Amino acid sequence: ILYHDPSGDQLFNWWVSDHENNQPAGMNPILVLDVWEHAYMVDHGAGGRADYVDAFLANVNWEIVEDRFTRSSEGQAILRF
């Protein structure tokens, strides 16, 4: 997960195990990429992680990512899309 730390106005990547555990408090998620096998096996096969990541990045709506970062930087709520 790419998080924004509003108190330090910094972006950082953070590994979240089991989806709901180990998330840092007070940080805003800006971009989330799930790379567990269940996320890509149906479409890309067991060895398809790299193809999945390429497809994910090719389909990111960067305007929404930018909006999340801007809102977080301004202390506004992050909208979930």
Side-chain angles (χ1 to χ4, degrees), residues 12-70:
F12 63 94
N13 291 315
W14 188 271
W15 178 266
V16 175
S17 59
D18 299 327
H19 302 286
E20 70 278 356
N21 299 326
N22 198 30
Q23 297 205 35
M27 307 300 159
N28 293 316
I30 305 298
L31 181 65
V32 178
L33 171 60
D34 183 350
V35 291
W36 289 98
E37 291 84 4
H38 67 259
Y40 60 83
M41 289 219 10
V42 171
D43 294 325
H44 300 282
R49 183 182 286 179
D51 291 338
Y52 164 73
V53 171
D54 289 342
F56 174 87
L57 291 173
N59 287 283
V60 169
N61 185 329
W62 293 107
E63 290 177 0
I64 290 175
V65 174
E66 182 179 9
D67 182 63
R68 290 177 185 160
F69 174 69
T70 299

